[in-house]
Amino acid sequence: MFSFELLLDAVVIGVLLGCFYAAVSLGLSISFGLLDVPHVAHPAFLVLASYAVYFLNEHYGVDPLLAGLLITPLFFLFGLFAYRLYYETFERRGSDAGVRGIAFFFGIAFIIEVLIIMQFGVDQRSVTADYVGKAWRIGEMRIPFRLVVAFVVAAALTILLTLYLSRTFMGRAIRAVAQDQEALRLMGANPIRIKQWAFGIATAVLGIAGALLIIVAPVEPTLDRTYIGRTFCVVVMAGLGSMSGTLVAAIILGVAETVVLTLFGASWAPAISFAMLLGVLAVRPQGLFGRRS
Amino acid sequence: MAPGSQAPLLRISALTKRFGGFIALDNVSVDIPPGQRFGLIGPNGSGKTTLINCISGAFRTEPGTVTFRDEDITRLAPHIRTRRGIARSFQIPRPFRSMTVAENLMVGLDFAADTSVIVSEAQRRDTMMSILTRMGLASKANVSATKLSQVELRKMELARAMATHPKLLISDEAMAGLSSSEVDEVLDLLMSLADQDITIIMIEHIMQAVMRFSERVMCLEAGKIIAIGTPDQVMANQRVQEAYLGT
Amino acid sequence: MKRNGMYFWGGAALFLAGALLMTQVIGNQYPFFACYVILQFIVLAVAWSILGGYAGYVNFGTSAFFGVGVYTAVFLFKATGVPLAVQIAAAAAVGALMGFALGLLTLRMQGIFFSIATIAATIIIETAITNWRYVGGASGIQLQRPAVMAPFDNYVEMLFFVQAVMVVLAVAISRYIQNSWIGRGLQALKDDELAAECTGVPTLRLKLTACVISGALMCAAGAPAAMYLQYADPASAFNLNYSVSALAMSLIGGTAHWAGPVIGAILLGVTQQLLTVTISSEVNVLVLGVMLVLFVVAAPEGIVGLIRKVRSKRNEGEG
């Protein structure tokens, strides 16, 4: 039953999977981690992106990664619009934004789910590309090529976003707005515009992340429910808003999932991210890797 | 009656509060005798609000103890401290926004009224109205808390605190942002409450008000007590002058 | 106040009498099938509102409580064959315990953290039940209804009446809470938790109380569902649709008054029944989502809030 090789296999796959989880969580790390938006619809946006990629791939034969890149500007605009709507209806009114803001995103997630079902049905969908379905062999170990693609793209995405947030003017403004909105206002910048921009970026990243999601495994309309657990687990564990923390937390989750899968079987897999999330929330709500002060 | 001749109402001993690496309160000890009008001053960020958060229970302290009426309350939850007789107002008013002024007070009467005196619903209503009348808010009883002016909000917070029949009332900058005539109004209110055997800790930036009100003043700077004594003594203290006027 | 109470209990008695009369007069099964679902959603929405509405803690875990209610009944029925009333009572007890445990774990969290934690708990419990062979595991379990009791001549009619009784119970409890010191305390902590603590409100204890009552009602509402469908499987018993429905119905109806969730549940429940029959079940979920978002954006106080607004306008016009 149990063998060391199997476990090693699980850890390697887990690390690759973890990088992929980081890629799908980065956007949430900005929108929820930095901007404090209760973005429960983040995973639904992600699945929506996957279906857009599927559509382009199925009907026009566009490579999934390219398709992901193509929809990125659209998602950016979508993000700008979504934040504006959220800001105008909740943040600006102030009182009791909590309850209704959460319900708002929950409702949006549901609408997206149903629209996908009505358009594409409940069946699983996948994409075709050269790198889907092949595998590398290293000795006894078999590493699916699609995971390697996801790993490379995810790593690149994380590095790019980290650089963006630390090196560019706008990136630094985004981090500043998360820490002290008033100070930024005093400096003559418009914090709302910056937050809107940041939310746009967070949503744009989902274009690529959605492509990765459907490259790694087939998608179905209700897949977002599982990813509520994964993405929030990663972001909360990372300590809100930390990009490098997001990568580390995602790898921990990836390894935990594959190891449990290997040891106990697939039927327990859905609960792992949620159990870790619950554990982190109950014991250390500020995250494992500190928090922005 | 000289302070120290009787058991203190509130005793704070060796209180320290850290936030991460930042020390907000550093080994603070002070006794406040019953009935005293106690002024707490200090520059912004000196630890005044942290100290009253520790007294009212919003923050837990470690190490250090808070003793109230000879009982160690260091580990008690805020609502139990309120029932023991510690009430407060907030620096930035925190009314219950979905309620009227009367309902705001009823919360205090429902959960922390003196049950040895107030038993029936009718008695609660009477008490509520008499507090509102004393605070000059009777005409506002059925107005939503969101419709109040700044000075009315300040008064309502004090009224809500009074509904919990406190022995110790902590007023956290209840005069900030008020006009000078309004400051006098609130000051007179606090004076009249002090006359009714309520010990009051007043935190204030308006120096004239503190000096007029207090029998004893304590000045904090960077989490430490730099001066304590009569208003005149504290004002004459060189470190206080430096802290306040800058160098 | 007293007169209000008389009206309320009179109305409740009339409602139950009407429901009972329906079971004796109407021969067709379909109305009971449809009305049962609506009644079930009234209980869920009212129960959700006790924590989500009065206290402002957005619980995404309605389906967890509902599902546990279903499986409590399934387990008891399979293991001992006890009657429906015992299944429901046991489910309520399990729900109360679960509300207490979950509350202790999650009610110190605020806002979105609490909500996410409740989803997490739902999935974990669902996964555990999926791996529990005795009650059928992932593939579910078939159930044979026992003989029906007098005065009912059909099991669905009996389930319908039982659910009607639970509606009255849930509404009575919710109404009592709203008008009592518990309700005032919950409202205070919803507005401002620290200010409530400092005004003497035992916030954690009140939240736990609300969570226990809400959980017990949700579990009880789920218990008869197994017998209603004669089948239970984890994916449908723990379906997130229950969570979004309970939440949407409460918020659309309005959470400031006990009648809000009732109005919301009737409105949405009836619409859903009509849509499912005439168009499709996808469309009814879509309508639910769209209505939720519309109300949250445009009428934040729900239908109750709209009614209040119209009334106060009219009063101003007269005065």
Side-chain angles (χ1 to χ4, degrees):
Chain A
M1 239 333 245
F2 177 82
S3 77
F4 182 70
E5 266 123 60
L6 223 56
L7 195 67
L8 184 70
D9 208 23
V11 170
V12 172
I13 299 282
V15 170
L16 296 179
L17 194 66
C19 286
F20 159 68
Y21 287 161
V24 297
S25 306
L26 284 173
L28 189 67
S29 185
I30 296 176
S31 58
F32 176 56
L34 285 176
L35 308 179
D36 277 337
V37 177
H39 195 359
V40 199
H42 170 88
F45 283 19
L46 173 72
V47 175
L48 183 67
S50 289
Y51 272 90
V53 169
Y54 161 76
F55 180 79
L56 289 173
N57 180 261
E58 181 77 10
H59 292 273
Y60 303 101
V62 184
D63 176 85
L65 281 175
L66 181 62
L69 215 53
L70 284 177
I71 60 170
T72 297
L74 279 178
F75 267 70
F76 179 71
L77 293 175
F78 181 46
L80 293 187
F81 170 75
Y83 180 74
R84 200 76 215 176
L85 186 63
Y86 173 75
Y87 171 74
E88 293 292 342
T89 39
F90 301 104
E91 283 193 345
R92 207 162 73 165
R93 284 190 206 158
S95 71
D96 201 21
V99 172
R100 287 195 286 269
I102 298 167
F104 171 77
F105 281 109
F106 203 44
I108 297 275
F110 245 71
I111 293 173
I112 291 176
E113 239 180 53
V114 181
L115 287 178
I116 293 175
I117 292 176
M118 289 167 73
Q119 189 62 39
F120 296 97
V122 293
D123 299 332
Q124 291 194 330
R125 303 286 164 175
S126 53
V127 286
T128 47
D130 293 339
Y131 41 84
V132 178
K134 289 185 186 159
W136 261 347
R137 279 177 197 284
I138 304 171
E140 288 294 297
M141 203 181 286
R142 186 179 170 280
I143 299 176
F145 213 82
R146 55 196 164 81
L147 269 186
V148 178
V149 171
F151 166 75
V152 171
V153 177
L157 206 58
T158 311
I159 293 168
L160 274 177
L161 260 187
T162 311
L163 286 178
Y164 177 76
L165 287 177
S166 59
R167 296 288 164 81
T168 67
F169 176 77
M170 203 58 188
R172 282 198 291 256
I174 290 171
R175 293 204 314 189
V177 86
Q179 297 197 351
D180 194 343
Q181 203 161 317
E182 271 320 298
L184 214 62
R185 205 190 296 274
L186 291 177
M187 283 158 58
N190 180 350
I192 304 310
R193 285 268 278 287
I194 295 169
K195 285 169 95 170
Q196 189 179 8
W197 183 268
F199 201 87
I201 299 274
T203 316
V205 172
L206 282 177
I208 309 274
L212 295 182
L213 179 67
I214 197 166
I215 288 173
V216 165
V219 296
E220 56 186 356
T222 52
L223 190 63
D224 63 320
R225 297 175 182 188
T226 323
Y227 275 85
I228 290 180
R230 293 199 174 121
T231 52
F232 274 90
C233 173
V234 167
V235 172
V236 171
M237 193 157 56
L240 301 176
S242 154
M243 295 301 132
S244 49
T246 302
L247 188 63
V248 178
I251 289 174
I252 293 175
L253 174 65
V255 172
E257 278 197 357
T258 46
V259 168
V260 171
L261 199 82
T262 312
L263 296 181
F264 300 101
S267 61
W268 286 99
I272 296 159
S273 60
F274 285 102
M276 285 173 72
L277 172 60
L278 206 55
V280 173
L281 280 178
V283 180
R284 236 184 110 77
Q286 69 271 43
L288 289 184
F289 306 106
R291 100 185 274 181
R292 66 191 156 88
S293 53
Chain B
M1 197 184 305
S5 65
Q6 54 182 320
L9 180 79
L10 180 75
R11 162 166 285 170
I12 293 162
S13 36
L15 204 67
T16 298
K17 179 71 190 171
R18 290 188 186 83
F19 297 104
F22 175 69
I23 298 174
L25 286 177
D26 189 1
N27 197 19
V28 170
S29 299
V30 64
D31 282 1
I32 298 176
Q36 189 166 65
R37 299 193 302 270
F38 189 86
L40 180 53
I41 62 172
N44 279 327
S46 59
K48 303 186 299 290
T49 296
T50 306
L51 178 60
I52 67 158
N53 275 333
C54 290
I55 298 171
S56 66
F59 294 154
R60 298 299 165 88
T61 53
E62 196 74 43
T65 55
V66 182
T67 314
F68 184 67
R69 299 173 84 199
D70 293 329
E71 181 193 10
D72 182 358
I73 61 165
T74 316
R75 280 170 210 296
L76 295 184
H79 70 270
I80 297 180
R81 298 187 195 203
T82 305
R83 290 175 187 179
R84 295 280 199 276
I86 301 178
R88 68 175 290 188
S89 72
F90 293 92
Q91 193 173 357
I92 297 160
R94 305 179 77 140
F96 301 129
R97 293 178 182 281
S98 68
M99 302 184 191
T100 63
V101 172
E103 286 168 337
N104 263 273
L105 265 67
M106 286 308 282
V107 173
L109 287 162
D110 271 344
F111 287 94
D114 186 354
T115 43
S116 62
V117 184
I118 300 169
V119 188
S120 70
E121 185 70 18
Q123 282 171 322
R124 272 201 284 274
R125 300 223 145 253
D126 289 347
T127 314
M128 184 257 296
M129 275 321 286
S130 78
I131 294 174
L132 281 181
T133 309
R134 196 189 315 155
M135 293 290 179
L137 286 172
S139 63
K140 300 284 178 184
N142 294 315
V143 173
S144 159
T146 52
K147 299 254 158 51
L148 296 181
S149 69
Q150 191 65 21
V151 65
E152 286 164 348
L153 263 182
R154 298 291 185 184
K155 287 187 195 166
M156 195 216 69
E157 282 227 321
L158 292 176
R160 188 175 67 189
M162 288 306 295
T164 64
H165 82 289
K167 312 238 169 355
L168 171 68
L169 175 65
I170 306 169
S171 157
D172 191 357
E173 294 195 31
M175 299 166 200
L178 302 185
S179 72
S180 62
S181 66
E182 288 168 343
V183 166
D184 288 343
E185 223 179 299
V186 174
L187 199 59
D188 288 346
L189 271 179
L190 285 173
M191 283 288 199
S192 77
L193 295 180
D195 285 343
Q196 292 169 354
D197 220 22
I198 296 173
T199 309
I200 296 180
I201 299 179
M202 180 204 257
I203 298 177
E204 204 51 66
H205 267 306
I206 303 168
M207 209 42 79
Q208 271 181 316
V210 195
M211 293 308 154
R212 230 178 85 197
F213 175 80
S214 312
E215 295 167 318
R216 191 154 153 248
V217 176
M218 175 165 101
C219 182
L220 283 176
E221 192 199 9
K224 287 188 175 133
I225 300 173
I226 56 169
I228 185 163
T230 65
D232 291 340
Q233 286 168 345
V234 171
M235 279 311 274
N237 184 301
Q238 198 178 351
R239 286 184 66 190
V240 174
Q241 287 181 354
E242 278 167 13
Y244 262 86
L245 306 172
T247 40
Chain C
M1 227 45 178
K2 283 270 154 57
R3 211 150 110 216
N4 249 335
M6 264 164 58
Y7 281 136
F8 175 78
W9 287 110
L14 220 62
F15 166 73
L16 282 182
L20 193 62
L21 190 69
M22 250 177 94
T23 62
Q24 303 303 309
V25 177
I26 301 176
N28 184 353
Q29 290 286 297
Y30 175 73
F32 299 108
F33 263 107
C35 289
Y36 172 86
V37 175
I38 295 169
L39 292 177
Q40 166 190 298
F41 275 124
I42 296 178
V43 180
L44 287 179
V46 168
W48 186 89
S49 186
I50 290 172
L51 183 66
Y54 296 160
Y57 275 68
V58 183
N59 180 2
F60 285 156
T62 306
S63 43
F65 288 99
F66 185 86
V68 166
V70 170
Y71 274 94
T72 305
V74 167
F75 173 76
L76 281 179
F77 185 69
K78 190 178 173 194
T80 62
V82 291
L84 187 66
V86 180
Q87 295 171 27
I88 294 173
V94 171
L97 274 176
M98 187 176 145
F100 186 73
L102 267 182
L104 271 187
L105 189 66
T106 59
L107 282 171
R108 288 167 210 273
M109 305 170 193
Q110 309 245 312
I112 181 77
F113 292 104
F114 171 78
S115 304
I116 295 292
T118 56
I119 297 193
T122 310
I123 308 273
I124 292 166
I125 294 170
E126 180 186 344
T127 307
I129 300 276
T130 307
N131 283 284
W132 187 13
R133 293 271 164 73
Y134 183 75
V135 292
S139 52
I141 186 169
Q142 296 276 353
L143 298 160
Q144 194 66 46
R145 285 179 190 150
V148 70
M149 279 184 290
F152 307 100
D153 44 34
N154 177 299
Y155 211 85
V156 174
E157 286 174 11
M158 184 172 95
L159 288 176
F160 162 81
F161 186 73
V162 165
Q163 200 65 264
V165 173
M166 282 204 273
V167 165
V168 170
L169 204 68
V171 171
I173 290 172
S174 170
R175 179 176 171 273
Y176 170 77
I177 290 175
Q178 184 193 323
N179 294 329
S180 72
W181 56 276
I182 304 176
R184 183 130 51 199
L186 291 174
Q187 192 184 350
L189 75 89
K190 180 185 182 181
D191 282 353
D192 191 321
E193 208 148 332
L194 177 60
E197 268 286 329
C198 289
T199 315
V201 181
T203 54
L204 187 63
R205 216 167 63 210
L206 282 190
K207 287 187 289 184
L208 267 177
T209 309
C211 195
V212 164
I213 295 171
S214 170
L217 286 172
M218 285 172 177
C219 263
M227 281 300 151
Y228 172 78
L229 296 167
Q230 305 185 59
Y231 175 75
D233 74 291
S236 32
F238 290 91
N239 197 316
L240 215 54
N241 285 9
Y242 291 113
S243 298
V244 81
S245 298
L247 175 151
M249 288 164 178
S250 297
L251 292 184
I252 288 170
T255 53
H257 192 272
W258 60 264
V262 179
I263 297 170
I266 293 175
L267 187 76
L268 278 173
V270 171
T271 317
Q272 283 192 318
Q273 286 299 315
L274 294 176
L275 286 176
T276 311
V277 175
T278 52
I279 311 175
S280 76
S281 53
E282 272 78 51
V283 174
N284 91 43
V285 182
L286 182 66
V287 168
L288 191 79
V290 171
M291 295 258 289
L292 171 62
V293 171
L294 276 183
F295 264 88
V296 162
V297 169
E301 303 299 330
I303 294 172
V304 167
L306 290 179
I307 295 173
R308 279 188 183 169
K309 227 181 233 171
V310 171
R311 266 200 198 155
S312 70
K313 278 239 176 78
R314 195 178 295 159
N315 286 347
E316 274 168 28
E318 282 166 2

